[in-house]
Amino acid sequence: MPMRGIPHYEPRADHPVPIREGDLVLLDVWGKKDIPDAVYYDITWMGFVGSAPSGRMREVIRDCARRPATLG
């Protein structure tokens, strides 16, 4: 079952969802050192599992890459 409708999905031992050939995978990673005044680190990576993403996947990725990142 794809998790595209769950923006902050976390795999759990009682409900594992394997990554399979043909999946588009998004990793949203963030963290902060446990020291006063530390800043947060936040990055998103996206990848495709397989030899080549579909034309629609390439189109969406290309459109997202053209849009500037915004805050707020």
Side-chain angles (χ1 to χ4, degrees):
M1 174 181 160
M3 294 296 138
R4 62 184 165 258
I6 304 172
H8 290 111
Y9 166 76
E10 282 185 50
R12 298 186 331 230
D14 64 334
H15 188 259
V17 178
I19 296 172
R20 296 190 171 103
E21 182 88 13
D23 283 350
L24 192 59
V25 179
L26 182 137
L27 299 173
D28 186 17
V29 181
W30 65 272
K32 178 180 166 294
K33 284 190 172 186
D34 190 17
I35 59 173
D37 301 319
V39 297
Y40 279 91
Y41 169 87
D42 188 354
I43 192 163
T44 302
W45 293 319
M46 187 173 236
F48 176 74
V49 181
S51 60
S54 70
R56 177 68 178 139
M57 286 180 185
R58 287 192 308 272
E59 179 183 333
V60 169
I61 292 167
R62 184 177 52 245
D63 288 348
C64 290
R66 289 180 181 157
R67 295 180 185 180
T70 59
L71 298 174

